[in-house]
């Protein structure tokens, strides 16, 4: 097996992911194809993201039926389920969904593409979309498809709760772009190291990410050749987001830069949202109006 297919030390094949732009034959994604590794890289033992989402839902009186869109490994969906809600977790990755069903039972888990989905008209009282999942809508058409689908899925008065990077942060700021960030951790006897570089594509209004993985197998596999994986997020600005939401029949109830589950310092129980939209995360709560 070549370097791109051998990133996991035990040689298990990867599933489908986003193709790297400079290597169309490489359609693997280390983290989404290995959900347990994803949770090791991004631990959330206190279920901070799920607790923050539940707080938003409670403060705005959301009904019990929740769609967690881009649910990943199912941790947040399971937390919302444990809070007494009827939860459906949706994701494009079958590997993530299989893991969620086994490790975080309770919610129903279904495959769906956030660019356009139909899980029933008015089937939910809230749609939750965390950790910049919304920003995988790279084009206006994709964003329109996402919001049209959310409106179709929500009962009148239902909530859209989303958390993402803030495009406005990159207006004149380069601290997240100046140098790569490095993370190292050990999982199942192997030492993983990721080096992540962010660049702004102003023409496409995207924040592009290149993450280079190196692995040292603690068993008998030795070093694995580095693998570069590529992804991108749409850079949405606060007023732009308000415009799209209004055009699709949503009233913005909250739009702020924190506190939230990925801010520094992170959100704590009882904290109310701020009013600024200047920092690197953006949080929105919007209500589906009865008419457009």
């Amino acid at each position: 097996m070549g370097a791109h297919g051998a990133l996991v030390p035990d040689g298990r094949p990867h599933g489908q992911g986003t193709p790297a732009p400079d290597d169309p034959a490489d359609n693997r994604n280390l983290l989404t194809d290995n959900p347990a590794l994803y949770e090791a890289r991004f631990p959330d033992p206190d279920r901070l993201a799920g607790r923050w989402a539940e707080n938003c839902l409670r403060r705005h009186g959301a009904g019990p039926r929740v769609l967690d869109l881009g649910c990943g490994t199912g941790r947040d969906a399971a937390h919302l389920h444990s809070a007494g809600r009827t939860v459906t977790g949706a994701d494009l990755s079958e590997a993530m969904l299989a893991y969620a069903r086994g490790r975080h039972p309770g919610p129903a888990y279904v495959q769906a593409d956030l660019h356009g989905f139909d899980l029933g008209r008015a089937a939910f009282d809230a749609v939750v979309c965390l950790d910049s999942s919304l920003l995988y809508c790279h084009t206006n058409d994709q964003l329109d498809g996402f919001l049209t689908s959310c409106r179709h899925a929500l009962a009148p008065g239902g909530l859209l709760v989303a958390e993402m990077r803030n495009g406005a942060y990159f207006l004149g700021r380069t601290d997240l772009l100046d140098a790569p960030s490095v993370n190292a951790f050990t999982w199942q006897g192997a030492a993983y190291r990721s080096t992540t570089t962010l660049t702004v594509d102003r023409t496409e209004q995207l924040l592009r990410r290149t993450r280079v993985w190196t692995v040292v197998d603690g068993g008998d596999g030795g070093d694995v050749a580095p693998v570069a994986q590529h992804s991108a997020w749409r850079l949405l600005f606060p007023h732009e987001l308000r415009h799209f939401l209004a055009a699709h029949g949503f009233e913005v109830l909250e739009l702020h830069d924190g506190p939230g589950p990925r801010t520094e310092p992170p959100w704590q129980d009882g904290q109310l949202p701020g009013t600024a939209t200047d920092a690197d995360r953006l949080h929105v709560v919007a209500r589906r109006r009865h008419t457009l």
Side-chain angles (χ1 to χ4, degrees):
M1 184 177 289
H4 284 95
L7 187 55
V8 177
D10 65 4
R12 287 171 293 178
H14 301 301
Q16 298 299 306
T18 301
D22 58 350
D23 186 359
D26 180 17
N27 60 0
R28 305 173 180 91
N29 187 297
L30 177 66
L31 291 179
T32 58
D33 295 342
N34 297 276
L37 179 62
Y38 180 97
E39 289 197 342
R41 169 62 182 87
F42 298 107
D44 187 10
D46 298 325
R47 298 298 182 263
L48 182 59
R51 284 169 35 225
W52 175 83
E54 171 62 21
N55 178 265
C56 291
L57 298 177
R58 281 190 283 108
R59 282 191 294 104
H60 292 285
R65 304 170 300 164
V66 177
L67 172 63
D68 181 6
L69 194 56
C71 67
T73 64
R75 293 181 300 191
D76 302 328
H79 177 82
L80 294 170
H81 172 82
S82 72
R85 300 190 181 275
T86 302
V87 182
T88 298
D91 203 279
L92 191 60
S93 167
E94 281 289 4
M96 285 286 193
L97 292 169
Y99 181 90
R101 293 182 187 109
R103 284 298 189 92
H104 301 292
Y109 291 104
V110 299
Q111 188 176 40
D113 185 341
L114 64 84
H115 296 159
F117 60 92
D118 185 354
L119 300 176
R121 178 177 292 278
F124 301 98
D125 302 303
V127 174
V128 172
C129 191
L130 304 178
D131 202 25
S132 295
S133 292
L134 185 156
L135 302 184
Y136 288 107
C137 296
H138 290 175
T139 68
N140 290 348
D141 286 345
Q142 290 173 348
L143 189 54
D144 284 333
F146 167 82
L147 291 172
T148 297
S149 299
C150 286
R151 181 175 176 82
H152 177 83
L154 283 169
L159 295 182
L160 171 61
V161 177
E163 182 273 333
M164 68 202 85
R165 288 185 176 272
N166 181 10
Y169 186 79
F170 296 91
L171 294 173
R173 292 189 180 96
T174 63
D175 56 295
L176 297 179
L177 311 173
D178 290 337
S181 63
V182 179
N183 179 274
F185 64 101
T186 301
W187 180 67
Q188 293 189 349
Y192 288 78
R193 178 185 176 95
S194 65
T195 302
T196 303
T197 303
L198 299 176
T199 58
V200 172
D201 181 338
R202 292 178 177 83
T203 300
E204 297 297 328
Q205 203 171 315
L206 295 176
L207 181 66
R208 297 195 181 275
R209 178 180 65 188
T210 299
R211 179 177 281 154
V212 178
W213 288 94
T214 55
V215 185
V216 179
D217 190 349
D220 57 5
D223 291 1
V224 177
V227 174
Q229 296 181 324
H230 304 264
S231 59
W233 296 284
R234 169 74 176 263
L235 288 175
L236 277 175
F237 303 98
H239 278 308
E240 183 183 21
L241 182 56
R242 283 184 182 275
H243 173 79
F244 273 100
L245 288 165
H248 286 274
F250 286 90
E251 174 193 4
V252 174
L253 305 178
E254 297 178 11
L255 185 61
H256 60 92
D257 58 16
R262 299 292 293 272
T263 61
E264 189 57 48
W267 173 84
Q268 297 180 11
D269 290 318
Q271 282 188 302
L272 294 175
T275 58
T277 55
D278 187 61
D280 67 321
R281 305 300 292 188
L282 197 60
H283 313 80
V284 63
V285 180
R287 190 182 304 280
R288 181 198 185 279
R289 296 195 298 261
H290 287 252
T291 58
L292 280 172

